[in-house]
Amino acid sequence: NGTLVAAPGLAFPKAEDGTRKPFVIGVCGGTASGKTTVCDAIIQQLHDHRVALVNQDSFYHGLTEEQSEHVQDYNFDHPDAFDTDRLLECMGKLTSGQSVNIPIYDFKNHRRCSENFRKVNESDVIILEGILVFHDQRVRDLMYMKIFVDADADTRLARRVRRDTVERGRDVTSVLEQYVRFVKPAFDAFVLPSKKYADVIIPRGGDNLVAIDLIVQHINTKLGQHNLCKAYPNVFVVHTTFQI
Ligand code: ADP
Ligand code: C5P
């Protein structure tokens, strides 16, 4: 004798004890495609909810002294460059409603800061962003919605040169050498093939306000169902699928 409510998409994820789990969104895309820009825009529009941003970059393995001496030979774009077990551990805590200390990574000396962490509190929405967040199935399986941010390769390279020279302490020659030797081949080998896992592909990154708006509307619908289910446990939600 419950009420039927039609709603698009999949059921909001539930924990084993029946409580609602945070809504996990994965945001993937090539270097400087606009992942962070898109995440910031989504977070800004979800102002009524508790939203946490987790960057895959925070889980880079720190370089040893020896690796640091030959940093130009280190591939930061290969999946092995990340401490994925630590990422899974942190995401596990967050998705089970606990706060967590996320490492802080320094792009200038290629190490995690040993004393300082960023505390991330329990949230309604967790956004996990990074070049390889769709690569490992265990990480993908945490995600309720997967977004791939697309941008033209020349545009990405131009942005990367500017960002890495201005913010990450690099010179133009080293940025270009790293791009040709590691960044582009790894994009072709690992990032681009993972695009097939995306539910939504955003062309033109942060410039695409329509796509960002649609995504925010979808998340709000899901969070609204969440609150509805909490307030009216006898209301059943009927699900249909839709596509942007
Ligand atoms: P990612 O997180 O994918 O590496 P960011 O969002 O950090 O990408 O963007 C990379 C760089 O490009 C930043 O310096 C950012 O300010 C710039 N940028 C991102 N999107 C745009 C855009 N639409 N127009 C101009 N610059 C942009
Ligand atoms: O922000 P973005 O997605 O571009 O960050 C990922 C990029 O950071 C990778 O393409 C990698 O080459 C670069 N990186 C780097 N130096 C490090 C760690 C990552 O250039 N120490």
Side-chain angles (χ1 to χ4, degrees):
N1 58 359
T3 312
L4 287 176
V5 179
L10 299 165
F12 198 95
K14 266 189 180 176
E16 277 163 20
D17 63 2
T19 57
R20 300 286 161 172
K21 295 184 83 174
F23 189 97
V24 180
I25 304 169
V27 177
C28 183
T31 182
S33 56
K35 300 182 293 297
T36 309
T37 308
V38 166
C39 292
D40 288 346
I42 293 174
I43 292 168
Q44 215 181 350
Q45 291 193 42
L46 286 176
H47 40 74
D48 291 339
H49 304 286
R50 298 173 303 170
V51 188
L53 177 64
V54 178
N55 310 93
Q56 189 182 28
D57 290 346
S58 305
F59 298 91
Y60 266 116
H61 288 293
L63 296 199
T64 61
E65 290 292 334
E66 200 188 336
Q67 286 168 329
S68 294
E69 282 167 24
H70 307 281
V71 67
Q72 70 282 2
D73 296 326
Y74 192 86
N75 188 350
F76 291 101
D77 292 75
H78 191 278
D80 292 348
F82 294 95
D83 184 349
T84 303
D85 289 337
R86 179 86 187 271
L87 167 73
L88 285 164
E89 191 191 313
C90 285
M91 287 299 290
K93 285 190 180 159
L94 273 175
T95 53
S96 60
Q98 299 169 51
S99 62
V100 73
N101 283 330
I102 306 261
I104 295 174
Y105 184 74
D106 182 344
F107 282 91
K108 289 191 177 152
N109 67 22
H110 320 284
R111 291 211 177 96
R112 288 185 201 156
C113 182
S114 52
E115 305 96 44
N116 293 330
F117 294 90
R118 183 169 68 93
K119 187 174 182 202
V120 177
N121 290 320
E122 179 190 358
S123 304
D124 305 316
V125 179
I126 301 165
I127 306 181
L128 174 60
E129 166 276 325
I131 52 170
L132 288 168
V133 291
F134 293 172
H135 177 75
D136 189 311
Q137 188 182 343
R138 295 169 301 165
V139 181
R140 278 201 310 276
D141 286 348
L142 297 169
M143 297 167 186
Y144 179 66
M145 182 188 205
K146 299 186 204 69
I147 299 170
F148 190 94
V149 181
D150 231 355
D152 171 75
D154 294 348
T155 305
R156 291 194 292 103
L157 175 56
R159 286 179 188 161
R160 170 131 178 177
V161 169
R162 188 167 45 213
R163 182 193 65 193
D164 284 9
T165 50
V166 174
E167 294 170 23
R168 295 187 179 175
R170 315 286 167 87
D171 60 67
V172 176
T173 307
S174 75
V175 176
L176 295 177
E177 278 175 5
Q178 182 190 10
Y179 188 84
V180 172
R181 190 169 165 200
F182 296 118
V183 182
K184 187 173 165 47
F187 176 81
D188 293 337
F190 305 112
V191 185
L192 199 52
S194 75
K195 189 174 169 178
K196 63 175 175 280
Y197 299 113
D199 303 303
V200 180
I201 296 167
I202 307 187
R204 306 183 309 284
D207 288 339
N208 195 333
L209 302 180
V210 173
I212 291 167
D213 202 41
L214 284 168
I215 289 165
V216 169
Q217 276 183 44
H218 181 68
I219 299 166
N220 273 324
T221 305
K222 291 295 164 194
L223 294 175
Q225 281 172 25
H226 177 190
N227 294 336
L228 190 70
C229 290
K230 273 205 297 202
Y232 303 102
N234 286 334
V235 170
F236 300 115
V237 179
V238 178
H239 300 282
T240 57
T241 51
F242 86 129
Q243 207 174 345
I244 293 178

